[in-house]
Amino acid sequence: MTDKNDPNEPDKSIFSADNGQPGIGLVLGGGLARGFAHIGVIRCLKKHGIYPSIVTGTSIGAVVGAAYLAGKLNELEDWSLTLNRLRVLSYLDFRVRSAGLIGGKKLTSVLEDSFGDMQIEDLPHPFIAIAADLVTGHEVWLRKGNLVEAMTASFALPGVFPPVERNHRLLIDGALVNPCPVSPCQAMGARMTIAVDLNTDLIGKAVKPGQNFQTIAGFDLFNDADVPPAKQKPFKSFSLTRRLFRRENNDPSLFGVMVSALGIIQDRLTRSRLAGDPPDIHIKPQIGHIGLLEFEKAKELIELGEEAAERAMPDIKAAMSVLLPPTTV
């Protein structure tokens, strides 16, 4: 992400306190690469003149939600469209003696280049990033303090990224406790909640003709179609990288199995949480055919997110007419 504006000053031309609609809450769920679908959803809402005034997000949802409120959504979209398998791997700083396989400093640096030292309190509307306490398992709502630190804590996937220490707590990925955080949005005063759930497309996740379980569960770094052989050499020189990403005898890679297992957890936990805290509008992008690590498919994900929001638009406008004061509709 490039820093086109002062990182400490939200871009009022993109989103400002003046055009936020009181009572509308936007809930952005976790889902790794699939989170780029959130950008398309927000684009569709803006196209129809709908500007939520409360935003909550988990993991990648926290990143997109923060970018939206900070006026950095254009930058995030532009950056996402430059990603390919090789560039994604260039952001991964592998660690051997660490609480996570990836140090995360390169990704944090990308966020800091765009957001600077922005605080959550600097945002024009309430924002909550969801994390989990590694010791107690408690759900943690991050609504004050450094914005980049909150985002980093929210996507600190256990075993992959190290926990983030904040206020004497070790925080990890919020998807482990609340993958689609409707309840925090309601607690902050939302009269109407629009939730974007990235874990509902079971048909898309099913094996299709020409695919097998290795295709679904695998993440192969050493794939000539995505990463030219000449570019693979630096990664192949590390035995840790080979053990993590390389397939043996067509078996899924270790990292692929870890990520697929996370997807199962998110799917089951999302169903349970939404049954107890149902949103008023449930947007379900049809993105199950895209892997959790296929960041190079940002363009397709954004388009599918926009399509899903467009399908839900009649329900959104109907809900607004019933749930919101007449002055905000």
Side-chain angles (χ1 to χ4, degrees):
M1 295 168 63
T2 57
D3 188 11
K4 299 176 182 177
N5 306 302
D6 182 350
N8 295 306
E9 188 64 33
D11 185 349
K12 302 299 184 180
S13 66
I14 297 176
F15 189 90
S16 72
D18 295 334
N19 58 16
Q21 292 161 302
I24 301 180
L26 181 63
V27 180
L28 302 177
L32 295 178
R34 293 176 184 158
F36 290 139
H38 291 317
I39 297 175
V41 171
I42 294 172
R43 290 294 181 205
C44 182
L45 293 177
K46 293 175 67 178
K47 182 175 69 176
H48 288 272
I50 299 172
Y51 296 86
S53 58
I54 300 170
V55 178
T56 59
T58 294
S59 198
I60 184 67
V63 175
V64 177
Y68 170 52
L69 288 177
K72 303 288 183 179
L73 194 64
N74 286 333
E75 292 181 31
L76 178 61
E77 182 174 356
D78 291 344
W79 177 77
S80 72
L81 295 175
T82 69
L83 295 177
N84 53 38
R85 183 68 60 89
L86 183 60
R87 186 167 187 187
V88 169
L89 292 169
S90 72
Y91 290 125
L92 307 184
D93 44 344
F94 294 103
R95 298 282 187 87
V96 178
R97 297 178 181 178
S98 173
L101 297 172
I102 298 169
K105 288 187 177 181
K106 291 183 179 179
L107 286 174
T108 300
S109 178
V110 171
L111 293 173
E112 290 175 343
D113 286 345
S114 186
F115 292 92
D117 193 36
M118 188 180 295
Q119 304 294 299
I120 294 177
E121 297 91 328
D122 296 332
L123 298 175
H125 293 290
F127 170 74
I128 297 179
I130 307 301
D133 188 311
L134 179 61
V135 177
T136 66
H138 290 170
E139 181 177 330
V140 180
W141 297 1
L142 302 174
R143 46 187 172 177
K144 293 182 179 181
N146 185 272
L147 183 59
V148 170
E149 184 180 75
M151 288 187 283
T152 305
S154 189
F155 68 65
L157 182 62
V160 179
F161 295 105
V164 174
E165 184 175 356
R166 180 165 170 149
N167 295 331
H168 308 292
R169 295 174 117 171
L170 290 177
L171 302 180
I172 55 176
D173 197 325
L176 295 175
V177 289
N178 200 346
C180 196
V182 175
S183 52
C185 200
Q186 295 171 333
M188 292 291 283
R191 298 182 59 169
M192 170 184 166
T193 51
I194 302 172
V196 186
D197 180 2
L198 305 177
N199 300 292
T200 61
D201 185 14
L202 297 179
I203 301 301
K205 295 175 186 176
V207 176
K208 298 178 180 179
Q211 291 184 326
N212 53 36
F213 74 91
Q214 291 93 347
T215 306
I216 300 299
F219 179 80
D220 190 3
L221 169 60
F222 307 110
N223 184 334
D224 293 352
D226 296 319
V227 183
K231 298 291 187 179
Q232 296 180 17
K233 292 181 180 179
F235 298 100
K236 283 186 175 180
S237 63
F238 297 101
S239 61
L240 174 63
T241 308
R242 292 197 302 270
R243 291 197 300 270
L244 282 174
F245 295 106
R246 192 170 194 172
R247 298 179 186 174
E248 298 292 343
N249 301 320
N250 289 324
D251 290 333
S253 66
L254 173 60
F255 197 71
V257 172
M258 290 171 57
V259 171
S260 295
L262 171 67
I264 294 172
I265 294 172
Q266 286 195 155
D267 177 27
R268 300 300 169 177
L269 185 54
T270 298
R271 296 189 198 196
S272 176
R273 291 301 302 256
L274 292 185
D277 299 304
D280 298 301
I281 301 296
H282 192 178
I283 297 178
K284 309 172 185 180
Q286 302 300 297
I287 53 177
H289 63 287
I290 298 177
L292 292 169
L293 295 171
E294 293 186 290
F295 290 92
E296 66 271 17
K297 295 188 176 180
K299 183 176 185 296
E300 181 181 358
L301 285 161
I302 293 170
E303 291 172 352
L304 291 172
E306 188 166 1
E307 290 174 9
E310 197 66 55
R311 287 193 300 270
M313 194 52 60
D315 291 336
I316 292 174
K317 292 184 176 180
M320 289 174 65
S321 67
V322 172
L323 299 173
L324 302 179
T327 57
T328 65
V329 178

